[in-house]
Amino acid sequence: MKEFKGRVIAKGHFIGEAAVTHAGFNTLASFQKSALMNKKEVYVSDQNNKELFNKNITGKILCLPMTIGSTTGGLVIQTVCDMKINPRAFLFSEEIDSLAASGIVLAKVWQNSDVICIDKLGKEFLDTVKTGDRLEIKEDGTVVIL
Amino acid sequence: MIEYKMELNDELKGILEGKEGKTKQKILETLVLFGDIFGAKRMVKVTHNEGHLVTSFGIPLLKPLFKTMDEINAEGIKAEGGFTCDPRPLDYANVKCNFLEKIVFNKILYGKQKDYEAQLKKAGLTDSDSFSCASYLKECGNRPKEGDILSWAESSAVVFANSVLGARCNRNSGMLDLFGSIIGYVPEFGLLLDEGRKATWIIEVKTSKIPEAQILGSAIGMKVMEEVPYVFGLDKFLGNEIDDKVEAYLKDFGAASASNGAVGLFHIDGLTPEAKKLKEKLIKEGAKTYVIDDAELERVYKSYPIMWKDKEAKAKLCFIGCPHLNYYQLNKWHEDIKKALLENHQEKVSCQCVLNAPPKVLNRFIKEESAKYKELYNMGVTVSSICPLMYTNNPLTHGKAIITNSNKLRTYSMARYFKDEEILAILAGKKVY
């Protein structure tokens, strides 16, 4: 078991499976295909993301350095939260970027979403966590790799 | 009322207390919570009042967007300075679609386009020709001046405004672009502050010739992600003044850096406004270095995955102009395509080719260069103000072999990227793959 502590952007308690990307997560490119086709789950459609391409991230704990790409990003996060096909939690190793932050705030204020978001977990977190690991997220921003 | 950390003036406190209605209250709550995440100490006035919105498309699935717009319209809330908007997703007159594609576009993908445009109009859309990702071009009118504070989204427009015009804007998301324009304030952090505009990457361009703007931008974006790069060695090729040709280069370079990474601001030594004034004072101590030579550019180019099912397929459609072309580029593509066809003894391009530009740039081109416009038509080239990215959202287009010189379009679609000279060769009927 290894513990990491980050800053709480949107709190919650959850135990689930990690989906990890070490490259920036391109929000529009990743969610676009599944969201547009009204799918019940998101299979990452970003061709540039070799770690997550074609992987199901709905209900998972997305571990990432930051999001990148189009400034539709925040609206896209809000929309997938509204469709309830979002990752259950976003865990950022770095400080959250402006687009992801917009998406989380929009989802909270306008959709009352229960999406969880922690940032500033550190580089070591992303170096340690692997796709498929079981993680526990606590309300104070602690993340435990079980 | 929400708990918040930043200082607010009485006007904003009143809005947050609900004195101007529930919707405005929620709009400001969103901006304040967003700013608090980044330690914004206050909200600052938007000084270039015309906004720019990234969401131009009526995709029925974007239910939160339409619901919020309904609330805004119902309370009669408007962005008083007006706003421009990204390009429309459809243009049947100039970008051919078959019957089935039209059904998918009209009934499924963009079934709410008409309704959404009506919502935009009520909320303050400047006019019906205000749909372009490059609304900052001179003909379009939404051009901020140095030092202006903006409430814009659209990654390519934000990076252009910050870097080439010296305005100040964070990489806002869709919705927050409109919210800032409605309230007239944005949270002050990041690229709005002098400290946030300093470079943490030094880029040394050591290529033997001027790099392809779209590949250079892509390479830098993938390397620096959301950090600020200061680029040396590019003024050798571009000179020290920003004319229409240089502006076109920086537009395409910035769009690639923003879509292949998350660059919101770049400085070009000896060329862009802040780099000219502050020079190396703009570089933070301990900045990392990335050297780009011919081999590195080729490595990046070769790394792009080819998403076509049949990698040998003959190109069926070519999109040039993502982001939209400026006036110089429209003329240049006319000249280059004409020359390529002539040299290869062809009269028409080998596949449907669309040059994309803002409506107001196209109007000027058609008026001032009607002979060239007719020549383009006769060569099989159409001009449009479509968003090729939105067009390629249609799953029915996924089987089409689409080529482009846009790194942004490549990233968000199954279109295959080619350099400008390769695009011209393909259009002239040559085999390059």
Side-chain angles (χ1 to χ4, degrees):
Chain A
M1 280 210 316
K2 192 145 189 181
E3 268 192 25
F4 297 87
K5 185 79 187 282
R7 175 178 66 151
V8 178
I9 303 288
K11 72 176 178 184
H13 178 257
F14 182 65
I15 297 173
E17 188 186 324
V20 182
T21 173
H22 291 85
F25 181 81
N26 194 319
T27 308
L28 175 62
S30 297
F31 288 123
Q32 186 180 31
K33 200 170 168 188
S34 302
L36 278 175
M37 294 170 87
N38 209 2
K39 299 278 186 190
K40 296 219 161 27
E41 289 172 324
V42 172
Y43 284 85
V44 172
S45 50
D46 177 12
Q47 51 179 283
N48 287 337
N49 192 324
K50 292 178 175 65
E51 291 172 286
L52 290 182
F53 184 57
N54 270 338
K55 286 203 167 73
N56 181 356
I57 56 168
T58 296
K60 303 274 172 69
I61 298 171
L62 184 62
C63 305
L64 67 167
M66 70 183 74
T67 71
I68 59 169
S70 166
T71 48
T72 53
L75 181 59
V76 171
I77 291 174
Q78 184 191 12
T79 300
V80 293
C81 287
D82 184 58
M83 294 169 75
K84 302 199 185 306
I85 58 170
N86 54 296
R88 185 67 177 76
F90 290 78
L91 302 184
F92 292 87
S93 60
E94 297 178 20
E95 182 178 51
I96 192 170
D97 57 277
S98 62
L99 298 181
S102 308
I104 300 295
V105 173
L106 283 166
K108 285 282 174 191
V109 174
W110 297 82
Q111 262 59 52
N112 203 18
S113 167
D114 60 0
V115 65
I116 298 167
C117 182
I118 313 286
D119 78 343
K120 297 183 180 178
L121 281 157
K123 187 176 178 296
E124 195 196 342
F125 165 71
L126 211 55
D127 289 342
T128 309
V129 68
K130 304 274 180 293
T131 290
D133 282 352
R134 278 183 72 72
L135 308 182
E136 180 177 8
I137 305 170
K138 297 179 181 174
E139 291 204 343
D140 67 352
T142 302
V143 176
V144 186
I145 303 177
L146 298 171
Chain B
M1 198 168 77
I2 56 157
E3 283 180 23
Y4 60 92
K5 296 176 197 143
M6 69 171 73
E7 288 286 320
L8 293 180
N9 63 26
D10 290 345
E11 178 196 357
L12 295 176
K13 275 182 191 164
I15 296 174
L16 211 52
E17 285 162 7
K19 288 180 182 163
E20 294 189 28
K22 183 81 187 151
T23 302
K24 258 194 169 176
Q25 183 185 25
K26 270 163 63 180
I27 288 173
L28 186 55
E29 274 179 12
T30 307
L31 291 170
V32 168
L33 288 173
F34 171 64
D36 270 353
I37 290 174
F38 297 99
K41 290 194 169 61
R42 59 177 187 159
M43 302 286 284
V44 283
K45 257 197 176 306
V46 172
T47 59
H48 176 80
N49 289 329
E50 193 169 5
H52 183 82
L53 273 55
V54 66
T55 35
S56 58
F57 34 91
I59 299 176
L61 278 171
L62 292 176
K63 284 179 192 152
L65 171 68
F66 306 124
K67 193 167 167 277
T68 306
M69 291 299 284
D70 272 342
E71 286 183 43
I72 288 169
N73 290 164
E75 290 198 21
I77 298 167
K78 278 187 90 163
E80 294 303 332
F83 57 81
T84 51
C85 204
D86 263 13
R88 290 185 169 107
L90 301 169
D91 177 6
Y92 294 138
N94 297 299
V95 184
K96 284 180 252 171
C97 288
N98 63 36
F99 180 68
L100 197 57
E101 284 171 341
K102 279 186 185 173
I103 288 179
V104 173
F105 276 132
N106 291 342
K107 303 283 179 198
I108 303 167
L109 261 181
Y110 300 117
K112 285 194 64 88
Q113 189 64 29
K114 216 173 148 186
D115 295 345
Y116 180 53
E117 287 190 24
Q119 288 180 321
L120 288 173
K121 202 174 163 191
K122 281 186 196 162
L125 178 70
T126 300
D127 61 45
S128 60
D129 272 347
S130 294
F131 289 93
S132 172
C133 49
S135 294
Y136 48 78
L137 293 177
K138 288 161 196 149
E139 294 83 353
C140 306
N142 190 1
R143 194 170 171 94
K145 57 183 188 307
E146 194 174 342
D148 269 340
I149 306 288
L150 318 181
S151 179
W152 283 16
E154 168 50 47
S155 60
S156 64
V158 169
V159 72
F160 184 93
N162 274 318
S163 315
V164 183
L165 303 177
R168 295 189 171 211
C169 186
N170 279 314
R171 274 171 54 86
N172 298 306
S173 169
M175 284 310 340
L176 270 77
D177 46 10
L178 178 61
F179 289 179
S181 294
I182 286 172
I183 299 293
Y185 286 87
V186 286
E188 188 182 43
F189 70 93
L191 298 175
L192 267 53
L193 298 168
D194 290 345
E195 191 59 21
R197 297 178 76 83
K198 287 191 175 164
T200 47
W201 276 92
I202 294 167
I203 312 294
E204 293 178 8
V205 176
K206 293 184 173 173
T207 53
S208 58
K209 58 177 182 174
I210 183 167
E212 196 91 1
Q214 298 266 4
I215 303 177
L216 181 66
S218 156
I220 294 173
M222 288 198 244
K223 179 65 79 178
V224 313
M225 307 292 267
E226 67 169 351
E227 293 183 52
V228 179
Y230 190 104
V231 185
F232 288 99
L234 204 50
D235 58 332
K236 179 173 80 180
F237 301 110
L238 298 178
N240 300 104
E241 295 302 326
I242 301 177
D243 58 12
D244 287 354
K245 183 180 174 181
V246 173
E247 190 166 298
Y249 186 97
L250 297 177
K251 166 178 72 69
D252 292 346
F253 164 81
S257 73
S259 58
N260 285 215
V263 175
L265 164 69
F266 59 80
H267 302 294
I268 309 288
D269 189 54
L271 182 62
T272 50
E274 282 154 290
K276 270 182 144 177
K277 275 186 201 156
L278 298 168
K279 300 189 173 66
E280 291 176 31
K281 283 182 200 152
L282 273 173
I283 302 171
K284 270 192 180 170
E285 206 174 306
K288 296 151 272 185
T289 300
Y290 177 33
V291 178
I292 298 182
D293 55 15
D294 294 336
E296 175 62 359
L297 279 186
E298 201 56 20
R299 182 194 67 76
V300 171
Y301 177 51
K302 290 274 182 345
S303 74
Y304 301 147
I306 300 163
M307 303 303 288
W308 292 359
K309 279 179 193 152
D310 175 8
K311 292 181 174 45
E312 303 295 315
K314 190 175 176 298
K316 286 273 185 292
L317 176 58
C318 172
F319 277 120
I320 296 169
C322 172
H324 279 174
L325 302 172
N326 74 1
Y327 193 70
Y328 162 82
Q329 288 177 302
L330 261 182
N331 281 284
K332 184 80 170 86
W333 277 103
H334 162 267
E335 184 188 321
D336 290 347
I337 293 171
K338 188 177 171 182
K339 191 172 161 220
L341 292 186
L342 209 62
E343 283 173 359
N344 290 282
H345 312 290
Q346 302 292 317
E347 287 183 356
K348 283 189 180 288
V349 289
S350 62
C351 66
Q352 184 191 2
C353 175
V354 185
L355 300 180
N356 303 293
K360 289 170 187 174
V361 172
L362 285 184
N363 292 344
R364 179 182 168 198
F365 183 72
I366 292 166
K367 193 175 163 195
E368 294 179 17
E369 302 288 356
S370 61
K372 288 183 185 176
Y373 174 64
K374 278 178 200 154
E375 277 183 340
L376 280 174
Y377 182 81
N378 290 335
M379 291 188 289
V381 180
T382 54
V383 293
S384 172
S385 293
I386 197 172
C387 174
L389 205 153
M390 290 298 125
Y391 170 86
T392 51
N393 266 339
N394 186 340
L396 292 177
T397 67
H398 292 176
K400 259 187 200 173
I402 300 175
I403 60 171
T404 183
N405 67 339
S406 163
N407 229 321
K408 180 170 184 171
L409 183 58
R410 171 194 74 78
T411 301
Y412 297 121
S413 75
M414 294 173 88
R416 185 167 171 181
Y417 176 84
F418 288 99
K419 298 173 189 171
D420 287 355
E421 64 192 37
E422 293 169 325
I423 290 276
L424 286 168
I426 296 167
L427 292 176
K430 280 187 174 175
K431 195 165 168 56
V432 302
Y433 57 90

